[in-house]
Amino acid sequence: MKTNVATGNMSAGQRVKSFIQKSPARMAFIIACILYIATIAISPSSLNASAIGSIIMLTLLLSFASAGQTIVLIGGGMDFGVGAVMSSAAILTTTIMNSQDGHFLQLLVTALAMGALVGMINGLCTVKIGLPPLIVTMAIANVVTRMQYVLTQGSPMGYASPTFIKSVTARLFGLQFLPSIVLYAIIIIPLVYFLLNRSRFGKQVYLVGNNPVAARLNGVNVAKIQVLTYVFSGMFAAFAGMLGAAYMNAARCQIFDEYAYNSLIAVIIGGTLFSGGVGSYTGSIAGSLVLVVLSNLLTAVGFTQPQRNVAMGLIMVALLILYNREKNVRQ
């Protein structure tokens, strides 16, 4: 009863902020719908099956990259190496496949191992040595990026295999709005949901992110859990890079570097806190959709790439202010 009275006394602005804080994922979906309606109003040709399919494609690709970022942030860390791992995995994809079918398992094992290794290095440097996550992951990402140039001499060769490309970009049942990448989503989304919401690991991640001292007192190996969050982040980023190479057909050095920033923003828009302990993968998917639709809107308006970068930055700052929350922690 008191809650209803308090809600009734809120101003419209306070109600909106309260809704955003309590339901960030739903709010993100609402924002994405509003942005898409605005895009259609400016450019009516945007309302077609092919364009919708492209939105779904890019949203899922970003959401896969954001999966590991979500786990890391909930656990109280941060990973700016997502883009570098994605780019490296894309290069591995085109190099190993070299336009030939039959190398998917070899690629999958190699790419995931590379992502896990980078994630483990990030985790050990952050957790065991105690270095700031932002600095560590950016530094390791720089090393990974330089390795791309060393191994490829700046000119990656090859393409993803035809079958792999079709498994990502083909339209299911001939429907232009239904890209085949959704088949990967059928696997990835339940997997991440299980990790975060049904597994013991997920429960420990939330506990560690919310209060590492309390987690330690409850018998949780805090260091192990935090390192594993970075390992998962590297593996999900590597898998996203593989799919990204299929989407692009080819790869080059630093091709997905912007995903380091975009994945972090998508996760924050979806309601995951910088301080850890709060968040959901559903919110990260919604945040990914917001970013993709917003990019399309800026394109429809006619912004150049530099103008789009500035506008995206300003809009993201405004959104982050709206989503700013403090968690309640029981000492």
Side-chain angles (χ1 to χ4, degrees):
M1 187 70 176
K2 291 181 179 180
T3 302
N4 293 335
V5 173
T7 303
N9 292 332
M10 286 183 179
S11 66
Q14 289 175 327
R15 290 179 182 177
V16 171
K17 187 171 184 179
S18 176
F19 179 77
I20 292 174
Q21 292 177 347
K22 293 179 179 178
S23 309
R26 280 183 288 175
M27 190 63 210
F29 280 120
I30 291 173
I31 291 174
C33 290
I34 294 173
L35 292 175
Y36 186 56
I37 292 172
T39 302
I40 296 173
I42 294 172
S43 176
S45 60
S46 300
L47 183 59
N48 63 77
S50 181
I52 293 175
S54 178
I55 290 174
I56 293 174
M57 171 83 70
L58 294 174
T59 297
L60 289 178
L61 187 60
L62 179 54
S63 72
F64 295 160
S66 301
Q69 188 76 268
T70 304
I71 297 173
V72 169
L73 254 68
I74 292 175
M78 183 186 303
D79 189 358
F80 262 95
V82 170
V85 172
M86 282 187 67
S87 298
S88 298
I91 290 174
L92 284 176
T93 300
T94 58
T95 301
I96 293 176
M97 287 188 163
N98 196 25
S99 303
Q100 301 295 318
D101 292 327
H103 300 289
F104 180 78
L105 289 180
Q106 177 188 353
L107 168 64
L108 182 64
V109 172
T110 304
L112 293 184
M114 179 274 297
L117 177 61
V118 174
M120 181 170 291
I121 294 173
N122 283 331
L124 291 176
C125 290
T126 300
V127 179
K128 294 295 185 180
I129 301 178
L131 299 175
L134 174 63
I135 303 301
V136 168
T137 56
M138 289 184 68
I140 299 301
N142 185 60
V143 173
V144 172
T145 297
R146 298 309 159 202
M147 287 297 296
Q148 295 171 19
Y149 286 95
V150 171
L151 296 176
T152 65
Q153 300 298 311
S155 301
M157 302 297 291
Y159 299 88
S161 71
T163 300
F164 187 43
I165 291 174
K166 289 180 180 178
S167 74
V168 174
T169 62
R171 267 35 184 182
L172 296 177
F173 312 112
L175 301 175
Q176 290 301 308
F177 65 86
L178 193 60
S180 53
I181 193 174
V182 298
L183 297 177
Y184 291 99
I186 293 174
I187 299 173
I188 296 298
I189 293 176
L191 174 61
V192 180
Y193 180 83
F194 172 80
L195 282 174
L196 284 176
N197 300 284
R198 290 290 182 265
S199 70
R200 181 182 179 187
F201 166 76
K203 295 176 182 178
Q204 291 178 336
V205 169
Y206 277 102
L207 182 58
V208 169
N210 189 56
N211 192 329
V213 176
R216 191 174 290 108
L217 292 175
N218 278 277
V220 177
N221 188 332
V222 174
K224 176 183 176 181
I225 294 299
Q226 289 180 325
V227 170
L228 282 176
T229 63
Y230 285 97
V231 172
F232 275 116
S233 180
M235 294 176 70
F236 279 115
F239 187 74
M242 289 172 51
L243 300 184
Y247 171 67
M248 301 295 291
N249 292 354
R252 56 177 173 76
C253 297
Q254 297 184 272
I255 188 171
F256 294 119
D257 275 14
E258 71 274 10
Y259 275 71
Y261 171 78
N262 290 345
S263 65
L264 181 61
I265 296 299
V267 172
I268 296 300
I269 291 176
T272 299
L273 298 186
F274 264 121
S275 52
V278 177
S280 70
Y281 187 46
T282 302
S284 298
I285 296 173
S288 299
L289 179 61
V290 170
L291 282 184
V292 171
V293 177
L294 175 58
S295 178
N296 287 350
L297 173 60
L298 295 178
T299 300
V301 172
F303 278 25
T304 62
Q305 187 61 49
Q307 290 173 331
R308 287 172 57 190
N309 292 338
V310 172
M312 285 281 284
L314 293 175
I315 293 172
M316 288 307 107
V317 169
L319 289 174
L320 290 177
I321 291 174
L322 287 174
Y323 279 78
N324 181 42
R325 296 177 293 161
E326 294 183 359
K327 62 183 180 183
N328 295 319
V329 179
R330 177 175 294 178
Q331 300 295 336

PDB file of all heavy atoms in Angstrom, residues 167-192:
ATOM      1  N   SER A 167      25.476 -20.641 -43.288  1.00  0.00           N
ATOM      2  CA  SER A 167      24.908 -20.949 -41.976  1.00  0.00           C
ATOM      3  C   SER A 167      24.687 -19.688 -41.143  1.00  0.00           C
ATOM      4  O   SER A 167      23.968 -19.724 -40.136  1.00  0.00           O
ATOM      5  CB  SER A 167      25.834 -21.905 -41.204  1.00  0.00           C
ATOM      6  OG  SER A 167      26.992 -21.226 -40.727  1.00  0.00           O
ATOM      7  N   VAL A 168      25.287 -18.585 -41.560  1.00  0.00           N
ATOM      8  CA  VAL A 168      25.140 -17.319 -40.845  1.00  0.00           C
ATOM      9  C   VAL A 168      24.252 -16.336 -41.594  1.00  0.00           C
ATOM     10  O   VAL A 168      23.406 -15.659 -41.001  1.00  0.00           O
ATOM     11  CB  VAL A 168      26.523 -16.677 -40.585  1.00  0.00           C
ATOM     12  CG1 VAL A 168      26.374 -15.291 -39.961  1.00  0.00           C
ATOM     13  CG2 VAL A 168      27.371 -17.569 -39.683  1.00  0.00           C
ATOM     14  N   THR A 169      24.411 -16.267 -42.890  1.00  0.00           N
ATOM     15  CA  THR A 169      23.759 -15.203 -43.667  1.00  0.00           C
ATOM     16  C   THR A 169      22.548 -15.637 -44.480  1.00  0.00           C
ATOM     17  O   THR A 169      21.755 -14.788 -44.909  1.00  0.00           O
ATOM     18  CB  THR A 169      24.773 -14.566 -44.627  1.00  0.00           C
ATOM     19  OG1 THR A 169      25.240 -15.565 -45.557  1.00  0.00           O
ATOM     20  CG2 THR A 169      25.968 -14.012 -43.874  1.00  0.00           C
ATOM     21  N   ALA A 170      22.385 -16.946 -44.722  1.00  0.00           N
ATOM     22  CA  ALA A 170      21.249 -17.397 -45.535  1.00  0.00           C
ATOM     23  C   ALA A 170      19.931 -17.082 -44.832  1.00  0.00           C
ATOM     24  O   ALA A 170      19.876 -16.946 -43.610  1.00  0.00           O
ATOM     25  CB  ALA A 170      21.363 -18.901 -45.802  1.00  0.00           C
ATOM     26  N   ARG A 171      18.863 -16.953 -45.620  1.00  0.00           N
ATOM     27  CA  ARG A 171      17.529 -16.697 -45.062  1.00  0.00           C
ATOM     28  C   ARG A 171      16.779 -18.011 -44.920  1.00  0.00           C
ATOM     29  O   ARG A 171      16.649 -18.781 -45.873  1.00  0.00           O
ATOM     30  CB  ARG A 171      16.757 -15.746 -45.965  1.00  0.00           C
ATOM     31  CG  ARG A 171      16.854 -14.265 -45.645  1.00  0.00           C
ATOM     32  CD  ARG A 171      18.164 -13.796 -45.127  1.00  0.00           C
ATOM     33  NE  ARG A 171      18.171 -12.382 -44.760  1.00  0.00           N
ATOM     34  CZ  ARG A 171      19.234 -11.735 -44.321  1.00  0.00           C
ATOM     35  NH1 ARG A 171      20.386 -12.367 -44.185  1.00  0.00           N
ATOM     36  NH2 ARG A 171      19.176 -10.452 -43.979  1.00  0.00           N
ATOM     37  N   LEU A 172      16.287 -18.272 -43.716  1.00  0.00           N
ATOM     38  CA  LEU A 172      15.574 -19.515 -43.449  1.00  0.00           C
ATOM     39  C   LEU A 172      14.205 -19.510 -44.119  1.00  0.00           C
ATOM     40  O   LEU A 172      13.479 -18.511 -44.064  1.00  0.00           O
ATOM     41  CB  LEU A 172      15.420 -19.702 -41.943  1.00  0.00           C
ATOM     42  CG  LEU A 172      16.714 -19.872 -41.139  1.00  0.00           C
ATOM     43  CD1 LEU A 172      16.401 -19.962 -39.647  1.00  0.00           C
ATOM     44  CD2 LEU A 172      17.472 -21.116 -41.594  1.00  0.00           C
ATOM     45  N   PHE A 173      13.883 -20.613 -44.749  1.00  0.00           N
ATOM     46  CA  PHE A 173      12.576 -20.798 -45.401  1.00  0.00           C
ATOM     47  C   PHE A 173      12.297 -19.701 -46.440  1.00  0.00           C
ATOM     48  O   PHE A 173      11.142 -19.426 -46.766  1.00  0.00           O
ATOM     49  CB  PHE A 173      11.447 -20.805 -44.365  1.00  0.00           C
ATOM     50  CG  PHE A 173      11.705 -21.693 -43.189  1.00  0.00           C
ATOM     51  CD1 PHE A 173      11.912 -21.158 -41.926  1.00  0.00           C
ATOM     52  CD2 PHE A 173      11.771 -23.076 -43.349  1.00  0.00           C
ATOM     53  CE1 PHE A 173      12.168 -21.975 -40.830  1.00  0.00           C
ATOM     54  CE2 PHE A 173      12.017 -23.905 -42.259  1.00  0.00           C
ATOM     55  CZ  PHE A 173      12.221 -23.352 -40.997  1.00  0.00           C
ATOM     56  N   GLY A 174      13.360 -19.082 -46.944  1.00  0.00           N
ATOM     57  CA  GLY A 174      13.193 -18.033 -47.943  1.00  0.00           C
ATOM     58  C   GLY A 174      12.667 -16.720 -47.395  1.00  0.00           C
ATOM     59  O   GLY A 174      12.339 -15.812 -48.161  1.00  0.00           O
ATOM     60  N   LEU A 175      12.605 -16.598 -46.077  1.00  0.00           N
ATOM     61  CA  LEU A 175      12.095 -15.373 -45.445  1.00  0.00           C
ATOM     62  C   LEU A 175      13.241 -14.390 -45.238  1.00  0.00           C
ATOM     63  O   LEU A 175      14.195 -14.674 -44.505  1.00  0.00           O
ATOM     64  CB  LEU A 175      11.442 -15.707 -44.094  1.00  0.00           C
ATOM     65  CG  LEU A 175      10.270 -16.695 -44.150  1.00  0.00           C
ATOM     66  CD1 LEU A 175       9.795 -17.045 -42.744  1.00  0.00           C
ATOM     67  CD2 LEU A 175       9.127 -16.108 -44.973  1.00  0.00           C
ATOM     68  N   GLN A 176      13.154 -13.233 -45.856  1.00  0.00           N
ATOM     69  CA  GLN A 176      14.240 -12.263 -45.815  1.00  0.00           C
ATOM     70  C   GLN A 176      14.487 -11.696 -44.418  1.00  0.00           C
ATOM     71  O   GLN A 176      15.584 -11.220 -44.120  1.00  0.00           O
ATOM     72  CB  GLN A 176      13.952 -11.116 -46.784  1.00  0.00           C
ATOM     73  CG  GLN A 176      14.047 -11.488 -48.245  1.00  0.00           C
ATOM     74  CD  GLN A 176      15.432 -12.003 -48.608  1.00  0.00           C
ATOM     75  OE1 GLN A 176      16.446 -11.367 -48.320  1.00  0.00           O
ATOM     76  NE2 GLN A 176      15.489 -13.175 -49.236  1.00  0.00           N
ATOM     77  N   PHE A 177      13.493 -11.736 -43.560  1.00  0.00           N
ATOM     78  CA  PHE A 177      13.662 -11.186 -42.218  1.00  0.00           C
ATOM     79  C   PHE A 177      14.200 -12.216 -41.221  1.00  0.00           C
ATOM     80  O   PHE A 177      14.358 -11.910 -40.035  1.00  0.00           O
ATOM     81  CB  PHE A 177      12.317 -10.647 -41.689  1.00  0.00           C
ATOM     82  CG  PHE A 177      11.268 -11.695 -41.484  1.00  0.00           C
ATOM     83  CD1 PHE A 177      11.199 -12.414 -40.289  1.00  0.00           C
ATOM     84  CD2 PHE A 177      10.351 -11.979 -42.483  1.00  0.00           C
ATOM     85  CE1 PHE A 177      10.233 -13.396 -40.105  1.00  0.00           C
ATOM     86  CE2 PHE A 177       9.375 -12.960 -42.299  1.00  0.00           C
ATOM     87  CZ  PHE A 177       9.318 -13.666 -41.110  1.00  0.00           C
ATOM     88  N   LEU A 178      14.500 -13.432 -41.694  1.00  0.00           N
ATOM     89  CA  LEU A 178      14.919 -14.500 -40.790  1.00  0.00           C
ATOM     90  C   LEU A 178      16.285 -15.070 -41.200  1.00  0.00           C
ATOM     91  O   LEU A 178      16.364 -16.092 -41.869  1.00  0.00           O
ATOM     92  CB  LEU A 178      13.865 -15.613 -40.785  1.00  0.00           C
ATOM     93  CG  LEU A 178      13.980 -16.665 -39.676  1.00  0.00           C
ATOM     94  CD1 LEU A 178      13.870 -16.009 -38.310  1.00  0.00           C
ATOM     95  CD2 LEU A 178      12.893 -17.722 -39.849  1.00  0.00           C
ATOM     96  N   PRO A 179      17.365 -14.414 -40.796  1.00  0.00           N
ATOM     97  CA  PRO A 179      18.706 -14.911 -41.135  1.00  0.00           C
ATOM     98  C   PRO A 179      19.033 -16.178 -40.364  1.00  0.00           C
ATOM     99  O   PRO A 179      18.564 -16.379 -39.229  1.00  0.00           O
ATOM    100  CB  PRO A 179      19.620 -13.752 -40.723  1.00  0.00           C
ATOM    101  CG  PRO A 179      18.873 -13.065 -39.627  1.00  0.00           C
ATOM    102  CD  PRO A 179      17.425 -13.166 -40.017  1.00  0.00           C
ATOM    103  N   SER A 180      19.834 -17.022 -40.951  1.00  0.00           N
ATOM    104  CA  SER A 180      20.129 -18.320 -40.338  1.00  0.00           C
ATOM    105  C   SER A 180      20.993 -18.203 -39.086  1.00  0.00           C
ATOM    106  O   SER A 180      21.172 -19.192 -38.360  1.00  0.00           O
ATOM    107  CB  SER A 180      20.818 -19.239 -41.355  1.00  0.00           C
ATOM    108  OG  SER A 180      21.950 -18.604 -41.930  1.00  0.00           O
ATOM    109  N   ILE A 181      21.501 -17.015 -38.784  1.00  0.00           N
ATOM    110  CA  ILE A 181      22.269 -16.840 -37.552  1.00  0.00           C
ATOM    111  C   ILE A 181      21.401 -17.104 -36.320  1.00  0.00           C
ATOM    112  O   ILE A 181      21.909 -17.373 -35.231  1.00  0.00           O
ATOM    113  CB  ILE A 181      22.879 -15.415 -37.490  1.00  0.00           C
ATOM    114  CG1 ILE A 181      23.932 -15.342 -36.370  1.00  0.00           C
ATOM    115  CG2 ILE A 181      21.785 -14.377 -37.282  1.00  0.00           C
ATOM    116  CD1 ILE A 181      24.690 -14.032 -36.338  1.00  0.00           C
ATOM    117  N   VAL A 182      20.067 -17.059 -36.500  1.00  0.00           N
ATOM    118  CA  VAL A 182      19.168 -17.336 -35.369  1.00  0.00           C
ATOM    119  C   VAL A 182      19.335 -18.776 -34.887  1.00  0.00           C
ATOM    120  O   VAL A 182      19.024 -19.083 -33.728  1.00  0.00           O
ATOM    121  CB  VAL A 182      17.692 -17.069 -35.744  1.00  0.00           C
ATOM    122  CG1 VAL A 182      17.477 -15.614 -36.116  1.00  0.00           C
ATOM    123  CG2 VAL A 182      17.230 -17.996 -36.859  1.00  0.00           C
ATOM    124  N   LEU A 183      19.830 -19.662 -35.751  1.00  0.00           N
ATOM    125  CA  LEU A 183      20.064 -21.048 -35.331  1.00  0.00           C
ATOM    126  C   LEU A 183      21.165 -21.095 -34.277  1.00  0.00           C
ATOM    127  O   LEU A 183      21.121 -21.920 -33.354  1.00  0.00           O
ATOM    128  CB  LEU A 183      20.442 -21.909 -36.538  1.00  0.00           C
ATOM    129  CG  LEU A 183      19.358 -22.035 -37.626  1.00  0.00           C
ATOM    130  CD1 LEU A 183      19.888 -22.855 -38.797  1.00  0.00           C
ATOM    131  CD2 LEU A 183      18.096 -22.673 -37.051  1.00  0.00           C
ATOM    132  N   TYR A 184      22.162 -20.223 -34.415  1.00  0.00           N
ATOM    133  CA  TYR A 184      23.210 -20.137 -33.392  1.00  0.00           C
ATOM    134  C   TYR A 184      22.642 -19.526 -32.121  1.00  0.00           C
ATOM    135  O   TYR A 184      23.041 -19.900 -31.013  1.00  0.00           O
ATOM    136  CB  TYR A 184      24.378 -19.296 -33.907  1.00  0.00           C
ATOM    137  CG  TYR A 184      25.167 -19.950 -35.016  1.00  0.00           C
ATOM    138  CD1 TYR A 184      24.954 -19.613 -36.352  1.00  0.00           C
ATOM    139  CD2 TYR A 184      26.134 -20.918 -34.731  1.00  0.00           C
ATOM    140  CE1 TYR A 184      25.676 -20.209 -37.368  1.00  0.00           C
ATOM    141  CE2 TYR A 184      26.857 -21.524 -35.748  1.00  0.00           C
ATOM    142  CZ  TYR A 184      26.622 -21.174 -37.070  1.00  0.00           C
ATOM    143  OH  TYR A 184      27.336 -21.773 -38.076  1.00  0.00           O
ATOM    144  N   ALA A 185      21.710 -18.582 -32.288  1.00  0.00           N
ATOM    145  CA  ALA A 185      21.091 -17.941 -31.125  1.00  0.00           C
ATOM    146  C   ALA A 185      20.314 -18.958 -30.298  1.00  0.00           C
ATOM    147  O   ALA A 185      20.237 -18.849 -29.064  1.00  0.00           O
ATOM    148  CB  ALA A 185      20.169 -16.811 -31.569  1.00  0.00           C
ATOM    149  N   ILE A 186      19.726 -19.941 -30.968  1.00  0.00           N
ATOM    150  CA  ILE A 186      18.964 -20.980 -30.268  1.00  0.00           C
ATOM    151  C   ILE A 186      19.864 -21.767 -29.317  1.00  0.00           C
ATOM    152  O   ILE A 186      19.411 -22.306 -28.301  1.00  0.00           O
ATOM    153  CB  ILE A 186      18.301 -21.930 -31.285  1.00  0.00           C
ATOM    154  CG1 ILE A 186      17.219 -21.187 -32.075  1.00  0.00           C
ATOM    155  CG2 ILE A 186      17.701 -23.145 -30.598  1.00  0.00           C
ATOM    156  CD1 ILE A 186      16.607 -21.998 -33.184  1.00  0.00           C
ATOM    157  N   ILE A 187      21.154 -21.783 -29.623  1.00  0.00           N
ATOM    158  CA  ILE A 187      22.120 -22.469 -28.764  1.00  0.00           C
ATOM    159  C   ILE A 187      22.727 -21.512 -27.740  1.00  0.00           C
ATOM    160  O   ILE A 187      22.789 -21.823 -26.541  1.00  0.00           O
ATOM    161  CB  ILE A 187      23.251 -23.095 -29.612  1.00  0.00           C
ATOM    162  CG1 ILE A 187      22.677 -24.123 -30.593  1.00  0.00           C
ATOM    163  CG2 ILE A 187      24.313 -23.727 -28.708  1.00  0.00           C
ATOM    164  CD1 ILE A 187      23.689 -24.669 -31.567  1.00  0.00           C
ATOM    165  N   ILE A 188      23.163 -20.360 -28.203  1.00  0.00           N
ATOM    166  CA  ILE A 188      23.899 -19.428 -27.346  1.00  0.00           C
ATOM    167  C   ILE A 188      23.032 -18.819 -26.250  1.00  0.00           C
ATOM    168  O   ILE A 188      23.432 -18.778 -25.077  1.00  0.00           O
ATOM    169  CB  ILE A 188      24.530 -18.305 -28.187  1.00  0.00           C
ATOM    170  CG1 ILE A 188      25.567 -18.885 -29.151  1.00  0.00           C
ATOM    171  CG2 ILE A 188      25.181 -17.261 -27.285  1.00  0.00           C
ATOM    172  CD1 ILE A 188      26.729 -19.571 -28.469  1.00  0.00           C
ATOM    173  N   ILE A 189      21.851 -18.335 -26.597  1.00  0.00           N
ATOM    174  CA  ILE A 189      21.007 -17.649 -25.607  1.00  0.00           C
ATOM    175  C   ILE A 189      20.624 -18.562 -24.443  1.00  0.00           C
ATOM    176  O   ILE A 189      20.794 -18.181 -23.276  1.00  0.00           O
ATOM    177  CB  ILE A 189      19.762 -17.044 -26.279  1.00  0.00           C
ATOM    178  CG1 ILE A 189      20.192 -15.912 -27.228  1.00  0.00           C
ATOM    179  CG2 ILE A 189      18.784 -16.509 -25.238  1.00  0.00           C
ATOM    180  CD1 ILE A 189      19.062 -15.295 -28.022  1.00  0.00           C
ATOM    181  N   PRO A 190      20.123 -19.776 -24.684  1.00  0.00           N
ATOM    182  CA  PRO A 190      19.837 -20.671 -23.545  1.00  0.00           C
ATOM    183  C   PRO A 190      21.093 -21.028 -22.754  1.00  0.00           C
ATOM    184  O   PRO A 190      21.033 -21.198 -21.532  1.00  0.00           O
ATOM    185  CB  PRO A 190      19.232 -21.912 -24.205  1.00  0.00           C
ATOM    186  CG  PRO A 190      18.697 -21.424 -25.509  1.00  0.00           C
ATOM    187  CD  PRO A 190      19.667 -20.375 -25.952  1.00  0.00           C
ATOM    188  N   LEU A 191      22.234 -21.146 -23.449  1.00  0.00           N
ATOM    189  CA  LEU A 191      23.484 -21.489 -22.770  1.00  0.00           C
ATOM    190  C   LEU A 191      23.878 -20.395 -21.775  1.00  0.00           C
ATOM    191  O   LEU A 191      24.209 -20.683 -20.614  1.00  0.00           O
ATOM    192  CB  LEU A 191      24.600 -21.694 -23.791  1.00  0.00           C
ATOM    193  CG  LEU A 191      26.015 -21.915 -23.217  1.00  0.00           C
ATOM    194  CD1 LEU A 191      26.041 -23.164 -22.347  1.00  0.00           C
ATOM    195  CD2 LEU A 191      27.036 -22.019 -24.346  1.00  0.00           C
ATOM    196  N   VAL A 192      23.821 -19.145 -22.224  1.00  0.00           N
ATOM    197  CA  VAL A 192      24.176 -18.034 -21.341  1.00  0.00           C
ATOM    198  C   VAL A 192      23.166 -17.918 -20.207  1.00  0.00           C
ATOM    199  O   VAL A 192      23.538 -17.661 -19.047  1.00  0.00           O
ATOM    200  CB  VAL A 192      24.250 -16.706 -22.121  1.00  0.00           C
ATOM    201  CG1 VAL A 192      24.610 -15.544 -21.191  1.00  0.00           C
ATOM    202  CG2 VAL A 192      25.276 -16.804 -23.243  1.00  0.00           C
TER     203      VAL A 192
END
